[in-house]
Amino acid sequence: VGVAGEDGKAPVTSSGRSADDEYQRSIGALFAVYWLMRLDGDGGQSFSFGVDTSSWAPLSANSRTPSRSSDEQARRGAFLEQVKWPLFEEVLVSAGMLIPGSN
Protein backbone atom coordinates (compact mmCIF):
# COMPACT_ATOMS: atom_id res chain seq x y z
CA VAL A 1 0.00 0.00 0.00
CA GLY A 2 1.37 3.37 -0.91
CA VAL A 3 0.36 6.99 -0.79
CA ALA A 4 0.63 9.23 -3.84
CA GLY A 5 0.37 12.99 -4.04
CA GLU A 6 -1.69 15.00 -6.49
CA ASP A 7 1.11 14.99 -9.08
CA GLY A 8 1.61 11.21 -8.77
CA LYS A 9 4.87 11.64 -6.87
CA ALA A 10 5.35 10.63 -3.26
CA PRO A 11 4.56 13.69 -1.14
CA VAL A 12 7.00 14.72 1.57
CA THR A 13 5.68 15.27 5.08
CA SER A 14 6.79 17.84 7.64
CA SER A 15 9.17 15.22 9.05
CA GLY A 16 11.00 15.09 5.72
CA ARG A 17 9.95 11.47 5.15
CA SER A 18 7.67 10.41 2.35
CA ALA A 19 3.99 9.94 3.14
CA ASP A 20 4.46 6.24 2.37
CA ASP A 21 7.24 5.98 4.99
CA GLU A 22 5.06 7.75 7.54
CA TYR A 23 2.13 5.45 6.76
CA GLN A 24 4.32 2.35 7.23
CA ARG A 25 5.70 3.72 10.51
CA SER A 26 2.17 4.43 11.77
CA ILE A 27 0.94 0.95 10.93
CA GLY A 28 4.03 -0.53 12.62
CA ALA A 29 3.34 1.49 15.77
CA LEU A 30 -0.29 0.33 15.83
CA PHE A 31 0.83 -3.30 15.51
CA ALA A 32 3.28 -2.77 18.40
CA VAL A 33 0.41 -1.59 20.62
CA TYR A 34 -1.74 -4.50 19.41
CA TRP A 35 0.91 -7.06 20.35
CA LEU A 36 1.58 -5.40 23.72
CA MET A 37 -2.13 -5.68 24.50
CA ARG A 38 -1.85 -9.42 23.87
CA LEU A 39 0.92 -10.12 26.39
CA ASP A 40 -1.22 -12.76 28.11
CA GLY A 41 -0.97 -14.84 24.93
CA ASP A 42 1.43 -14.63 22.01
CA GLY A 43 1.99 -10.87 22.17
CA GLY A 44 5.51 -10.91 23.59
CA GLN A 45 6.73 -13.43 21.03
CA SER A 46 5.08 -11.55 18.17
CA PHE A 47 6.44 -8.21 19.45
CA SER A 48 9.96 -9.70 19.62
CA PHE A 49 10.08 -11.80 16.44
CA GLY A 50 7.19 -10.60 14.28
CA VAL A 51 4.54 -12.68 12.56
CA ASP A 52 4.32 -14.78 9.42
CA THR A 53 3.08 -12.65 6.53
CA SER A 54 0.56 -15.22 5.30
CA SER A 55 -0.73 -16.95 8.44
CA TRP A 56 -0.11 -14.21 11.02
CA ALA A 57 1.33 -16.90 13.31
CA PRO A 58 4.03 -15.66 15.71
CA LEU A 59 7.60 -16.18 14.54
CA SER A 60 10.41 -17.53 16.73
CA ALA A 61 14.20 -17.67 16.71
CA ASN A 62 13.88 -20.89 14.69
CA SER A 63 11.58 -19.51 12.00
CA ARG A 64 12.91 -20.05 8.47
CA THR A 65 11.83 -16.63 7.25
CA PRO A 66 12.77 -13.89 7.35
CA SER A 67 16.45 -14.72 7.17
CA ARG A 68 18.17 -13.32 10.26
CA SER A 69 21.74 -13.57 11.47
CA SER A 70 22.40 -15.72 14.52
CA ASP A 71 23.35 -12.53 16.38
CA GLU A 72 20.00 -10.92 15.63
CA GLN A 73 18.14 -14.09 16.60
CA ALA A 74 20.03 -14.18 19.90
CA ARG A 75 19.28 -10.49 20.61
CA ARG A 76 15.58 -10.94 19.89
CA GLY A 77 15.50 -14.06 22.08
CA ALA A 78 17.27 -12.25 24.91
CA PHE A 79 14.80 -9.37 24.63
CA LEU A 80 11.86 -11.77 24.81
CA GLU A 81 13.25 -13.49 27.90
CA GLN A 82 14.66 -10.50 29.78
CA VAL A 83 12.30 -7.58 29.16
CA LYS A 84 10.03 -6.68 32.06
CA TRP A 85 6.71 -7.28 30.30
CA PRO A 86 4.63 -6.26 33.34
CA LEU A 87 5.95 -2.69 32.92
CA PHE A 88 4.43 -2.52 29.44
CA GLU A 89 1.15 -3.82 30.83
CA GLU A 90 1.23 -1.20 33.60
CA VAL A 91 1.54 1.57 30.99
CA LEU A 92 -1.47 0.25 29.08
CA VAL A 93 -3.50 -0.07 32.28
CA SER A 94 -2.54 3.44 33.38
CA ALA A 95 -3.58 4.78 29.98
CA GLY A 96 -6.98 3.13 30.36
CA MET A 97 -6.36 0.90 27.37
CA LEU A 98 -6.30 -2.39 29.24
CA ILE A 99 -8.25 -3.80 32.16
CA PRO A 100 -6.08 -5.98 34.42
CA GLY A 101 -7.02 -9.65 34.34
CA SER A 102 -9.41 -9.32 31.40
CA ASN A 103 -9.08 -11.46 28.30
Side-chain angles (χ1 to χ4, degrees):
V1 174
V3 178
E6 291 178 19
D7 59 1
K9 296 180 182 177
V12 177
T13 62
S14 61
S15 68
R17 291 184 164 82
S18 72
D20 189 54
D21 284 349
E22 290 295 347
Y23 173 80
Q24 295 296 329
R25 288 168 50 103
S26 296
I27 295 299
L30 290 171
F31 266 109
V33 172
Y34 173 77
W35 291 122
L36 289 173
M37 292 184 75
R38 295 176 50 97
L39 289 177
D40 60 338
D42 58 5
Q45 185 172 343
S46 299
F47 187 86
S48 301
F49 290 101
V51 295
D52 182 83
T53 57
S54 60
S55 68
W56 293 93
L59 299 176
S60 70
N62 301 323
S63 297
R64 296 180 70 172
T65 58
S67 178
R68 296 183 172 135
S69 69
S70 57
D71 181 55
E72 182 178 352
Q73 291 172 342
R75 286 184 287 132
R76 288 174 180 264
F79 177 83
L80 177 63
E81 297 301 320
Q82 296 172 11
V83 73
K84 296 177 180 167
W85 294 110
L87 295 177
F88 287 101
E89 187 171 2
E90 286 179 32
V91 169
L92 295 172
V93 169
S94 294
M97 297 174 64
L98 192 64
I99 298 170
S102 65
N103 290 330

